């Protein structure tokens, strides 16, 4: 049962990326593009209709809205286009990630935040 849930979640993640890629394809009808952009934006956005801290309902909207939206977009996008972008989404997921790049970006953000804090401190303590 747990393996089926993990597989389903992995497929949803792949389909979310595939839907995003399909939204930019000229072979996809305009109404499917609009829905695909909305679904991908909602799935990837940190903002929810119902915040996650609301018991049960916070996660329930993600478990219902995103899969239903993806299902609807997949139904509207031509099959060969969706198959092509599912392959591209799987390939993108298999690419190696760069831990050193991630660390460099985190260090850059921290250094920027510290510099901004130091400049702010100097500005307000001078007055």
């Amino acid at each position: 049962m747990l393996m089926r849930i993990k597989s389903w979640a992995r497929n949803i993640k792949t389909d979310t990326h595939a839907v995003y890629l399909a939204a930019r394809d000229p072979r996809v009808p305009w109404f499917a593009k609009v829905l695909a952009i909305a679904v991908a934006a909602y799935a990837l956005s940190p903002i929810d209709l119902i915040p996650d801290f609301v018991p049960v309902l916070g996660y329930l909207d993600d478990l219902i809205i995103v899969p239903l939206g993806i299902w609807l977009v997949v139904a509207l996008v031509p099959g060969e286009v969706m198959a092509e972008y599912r392959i591209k989404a799987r390939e993108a997921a298999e690419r190696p990630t760069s831990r050193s790049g991630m660390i460099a970006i985190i260090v850059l953000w921290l250094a920027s935040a510290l510099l901004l804090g130091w400049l702010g401190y100097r500005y307000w303590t001078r007055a």
Side-chain angles (χ1 to χ4, degrees), residues 7-49:
S7 174
W8 178 75
R10 203 173 304 113
N11 288 338
I12 290 289
K13 184 178 176 183
T14 301
D15 277 355
T16 301
H17 190 197
V19 161
Y20 165 74
L21 295 171
R24 301 181 308 168
D25 192 292
R27 298 173 288 176
V28 175
W30 70 268
F31 50 88
K33 286 182 181 187
V34 171
L35 185 60
I37 291 169
V39 168
Y42 183 79
L44 301 174
S45 171
I47 300 170
D48 286 338
L49 285 177

Side-chain angles (χ1 to χ4, degrees), residues 1 26 57 68 70 80 104 124:
M1 175 75 167
L57 293 177
L68 282 177
I70 289 173
E80 65 277 357
W124 277 288

